[in-house]
Amino acid sequence: MSYAGPEFEPTPPPSRSRGRTAMVAVATLVPTALVAWLIWTVVGSASDGGGPARSLPETHGSATVSGTEADPTPTPSRSPGPSKSAKDGDKDDTKPGGSQPSSSAPAAKGPLKGKVVVIDPGHNPGNFQHTTEINRQVDIGTNRKECDTTGTSTNAGYTEAQFTLDVSRRLRTLLQQQGATVTLTQNADRPWGPCVDERARIGNTAKADAVVSVHADGSAAGNRGFHVILPALVKGGGADTAPIMAPSRDLGERIAGNFVRATGSAPSNYVGDGTGLDVRSDLGGLNLSKVPKVFIECGNMRDSKDAALLTDGAWRQRAAQGISEGIVSFLRG
Ligand code: ZN
């Protein structure tokens, strides 16, 4: 996509090549009698720098250096790497992610330098052991709702919380490579939660330019595909989504479009009438957000075909890529 442009900065043709091009162009326009003289003049001056014939191979050296930076395959040293967790993403979830709950990596160079992205991995692998805490009611603006839920799982027991952490870590790596400052709302580094109101607050406090909450659905078998959830107009209590509705829709549409392209998955066949977009007023994480935010349900864990994708590390990498490209597109406008 467009964001890749700067990294694929073509190696500029050496000035000597331009000299040769100009020479040919001029040669076609002048009388034959002058051609020999012109060739001698142009080639002669180019030869001052070493001669055109020898100059061409020299460009390979610099191309190799910039090619390393453009390598799309992330090779993080601290967070679980895609190739590693592709094989055993489940186990990687228990490793320290190398960051605090709301830590932000120093922004590197890149088109998203100065941009803040909060990634919200849905649920928490420890929620199962903390039912009392996560069932506590919290204010979601319009009414009260449980703090958090356990999330769903595939029939074989791969949990949504494991899935959301894995995709979120991959997404973090991709966005950091673009120069963004990235915060995770949780990184399996706390026993449960956070509650949905705190998840929203983390994005607000960070003054995030974009927030994405990563989930997978638990619907009936046969229901397939992904959908992005946008905030409805909600006003009441501590909720007022009016200012974020339009930018959140923009963010969500860009994520949906890039998700289709990156994963090959179709939009949900059971929510959103084939658009891959849904609008909801019952999610505290959206209601309480004051910055552009969407949820994405990447697929249906209870459908065997979707589950085969969701449990495949290579597919999760493509999912993260699609979400990342949607965010990058949104932030670059
Ligand atoms: Zn969920």
Side-chain angles (χ1 to χ4, degrees):
M1 293 301 286
S2 60
Y3 82 92
E7 296 215 347
F8 279 97
E9 196 173 298
T11 304
S15 58
R16 291 162 203 142
S17 296
R18 285 198 290 271
R20 294 179 69 191
T21 304
M23 176 193 75
V24 173
V26 169
T28 61
L29 296 174
V30 298
T32 307
L34 293 174
V35 169
W37 179 82
L38 282 167
I39 289 175
W40 183 88
T41 302
V42 174
V43 172
S45 63
S47 296
D48 294 343
R54 290 202 298 118
S55 70
L56 293 177
E58 292 171 11
T59 61
H60 291 276
S62 61
T64 302
V65 173
S66 61
T68 304
E69 291 181 357
D71 184 355
T73 304
T75 52
S77 57
R78 295 177 64 221
S79 56
S83 58
K84 187 178 179 64
S85 49
K87 289 286 181 192
D88 60 356
D90 303 14
K91 290 172 185 167
D92 277 344
D93 285 345
T94 63
K95 293 179 183 176
S99 67
Q100 298 300 310
S102 300
S103 72
S104 300
K109 290 186 295 184
L112 297 192
K113 181 172 169 55
K115 299 291 187 184
V116 176
V117 179
V118 170
I119 304 169
D120 179 36
H123 317 284
N124 180 319
N127 279 359
F128 284 100
Q129 283 88 45
H130 294 272
T131 51
T132 303
E133 291 91 337
I134 67 169
N135 285 333
R136 180 172 64 86
Q137 298 282 296
V138 300
D139 191 338
I140 67 163
T142 48
N143 60 304
R144 296 180 69 80
K145 199 172 179 181
E146 57 270 22
C147 151
D148 203 5
T149 59
T150 59
T152 186
S153 71
T154 66
N155 292 334
Y158 179 65
T159 67
E160 182 187 357
Q162 291 172 302
F163 170 83
T164 65
L165 271 172
D166 182 76
V167 171
S168 295
R169 290 166 175 165
R170 295 169 189 272
L171 178 55
R172 176 179 61 180
T173 298
L174 292 168
L175 291 168
Q176 286 175 337
Q177 287 172 343
Q178 297 292 314
T181 299
V182 183
T183 297
L184 299 187
T185 58
Q186 59 94 9
N187 195 14
D189 44 9
R190 50 180 293 161
W192 53 273
C195 299
V196 293
D197 56 341
E198 185 183 348
R199 289 174 186 267
R201 213 156 40 237
I202 291 170
N204 297 342
T205 303
K207 294 185 167 49
D209 296 290
V211 185
V212 175
S213 191
V214 179
H215 291 258
D217 212 353
S219 186
N223 289 343
R224 295 198 60 193
F226 78 93
H227 65 278
V228 177
I229 305 172
L230 315 175
L233 178 61
V234 174
K235 285 192 179 188
D240 180 5
T241 59
I244 67 162
M245 283 182 66
S248 297
R249 173 168 285 274
D250 185 16
L251 172 64
E253 288 176 346
R254 290 171 191 260
I255 288 175
N258 281 283
F259 198 87
V260 168
R261 191 185 46 72
T263 64
S265 288
S268 169
N269 64 4
Y270 63 98
V271 172
D273 296 324
T275 63
L277 300 172
D278 191 20
V279 178
R280 286 174 62 172
S281 62
D282 62 327
L283 298 172
L286 292 180
N287 291 357
L288 299 173
S289 184
K290 302 193 180 311
V291 292
K293 181 170 181 177
V294 299
F295 280 42
I296 181 165
E297 299 280 4
C298 295
N300 177 17
M301 301 198 93
R302 293 293 182 180
D303 176 84
S304 60
K305 289 178 180 163
D306 268 14
L309 301 175
L310 297 163
T311 54
D312 174 25
W315 187 89
R316 292 197 298 270
Q317 182 65 24
R318 291 196 294 276
Q321 189 80 40
I323 299 169
S324 172
E325 288 171 6
I327 294 170
V328 170
S329 164
F330 171 73
L331 293 179
R332 298 194 73 187

